[in-house]
Amino acid sequence: MAGWTLDEGLERLDQEWRAQHPGAVIYHIADGNHSQNPRVSQHAKDDGKSGGPGDTPGEVDASDFMPGKGGVTDEDLDELAEGLVRSRDPRILIVIRRQSIWSSYPVGNYPAWAKRPYSGKYHGHTHLSVNDKYASNKSDWKWEPVANEIPMVKLDGVWVPQLKLGHDDAMDEGYNHVKRAQVLANWLDNKRVDLDVDGVYGAGTAAKFAAIFGGNGKALTTEQWRKLHGI
Ligand SMILES: [Zn+2]
């Protein structure tokens, strides 16, 4: 289907994905079975009628990363979806994978970026759509996994997380290592503004640890972990 262009940010991610998986298949433009209304599907061409910035007629704002060709596995597509969500990239509108959907904005009772059940067709691929506000943002995407999981070390018979900048509780679902450290840091430090307890070890969390322990706060030592816990 001719007569369309791809959002430049998505084009960048396509390049990154194909560099890792040469020959990988990525679909963009809606075929006849999909809605041609850009307000229903980002696979439809923008029509310039939204009045919003970046609503360039003919531009497509969605990519479907397909399994199979290029050696792309289900695990790769899970990692892509999770990595995109973790990145909180401002270009992201929606990520869909298997039977889950994440939006960069609140939906009903779900806050932005929360995982919601997806009631539409099962997604054997990873769908990413972007919002038009950042259509010309071609910066690198941060979708690659930081690590498979937060490393642990045994301390007096107890496993202790070795937390560092970039860690995210989504990497070890259910454990809340980062959130716990954030709560304890807030409790320990009464002089500075409390951190958002969001489970993401980002720059703000590093600055809080630096303020408490000195240094750059980019990694929590076992000794600092002990101090946080008062042991
Ligand atoms: Zn799609």
Side-chain angles (χ1 to χ4, degrees):
M1 209 180 291
W4 61 278
T5 56
L6 182 61
D7 174 277
E8 289 160 276
L10 280 182
E11 211 171 290
R12 175 82 197 122
L13 182 58
D14 280 15
Q15 288 164 2
E16 291 175 5
W17 186 248
R18 289 201 171 102
Q20 289 220 347
H21 305 283
V25 173
I26 309 170
Y27 292 126
H28 305 105
I29 183 79
D31 62 22
N33 296 323
H34 288 82
S35 170
Q36 306 295 316
N37 180 347
R39 277 157 295 281
V40 174
S41 168
Q42 289 87 41
H43 286 295
K45 289 185 276 188
D46 280 349
D47 56 12
K49 287 180 191 159
S50 78
D55 182 7
T56 313
E59 190 172 87
V60 171
D61 295 315
S63 293
D64 287 338
F65 298 87
M66 308 305 290
K69 294 235 171 74
V72 175
T73 65
D74 275 335
E75 205 178 23
D76 293 330
L77 293 172
D78 286 341
E79 275 180 2
L80 174 62
E82 286 159 14
L84 287 168
V85 171
R86 188 168 55 230
S87 76
R88 304 290 195 262
D89 193 298
R91 290 170 287 190
I92 295 173
L93 188 66
I94 290 167
V95 175
I96 307 172
R97 171 71 184 140
R98 298 180 189 264
Q99 284 158 308
S100 301
I101 180 167
W102 298 259
S103 302
S104 58
Y105 48 91
V107 177
N109 291 327
Y110 291 94
W113 302 108
K115 182 180 184 171
R116 312 187 322 267
Y118 180 64
S119 54
K121 209 170 60 176
Y122 180 86
H123 271 51
H125 58 273
T126 290
H127 167 100
L128 167 67
S129 39
V130 293
N131 63 63
D132 278 321
K133 275 181 279 183
Y134 301 93
S136 55
N137 182 332
K138 288 187 261 190
S139 52
D140 291 350
W141 290 78
K142 309 245 178 330
W143 55 272
E144 289 173 87
V146 180
N148 288 331
E149 55 188 24
I150 295 172
M152 307 284 283
V153 66
K154 215 166 196 178
L155 178 69
D156 298 337
V158 177
W159 287 100
V160 174
Q162 300 285 285
L163 296 175
K164 66 173 189 180
L165 188 69
H167 281 164
D168 184 329
D169 282 339
M171 294 159 66
D172 269 332
E173 236 169 314
Y175 288 97
N176 296 320
H177 295 310
V178 180
K179 271 189 187 164
R180 191 168 44 179
Q182 288 172 327
V183 169
L184 290 167
N186 285 342
W187 179 79
L188 198 68
D189 172 31
N190 294 319
K191 296 192 197 96
R192 302 165 200 89
V193 179
D194 277 355
L195 288 170
D196 285 339
V197 179
D198 58 3
V200 179
Y201 193 152
T205 301
K208 186 78 162 174
F209 291 151
I212 296 173
F213 300 117
N216 60 21
K218 287 184 180 172
L220 203 57
T221 67
T222 306
E223 195 48 43
Q224 291 167 353
W225 189 89
R226 275 183 193 276
K227 279 187 190 153
L228 275 187
H229 288 75
I231 55 173

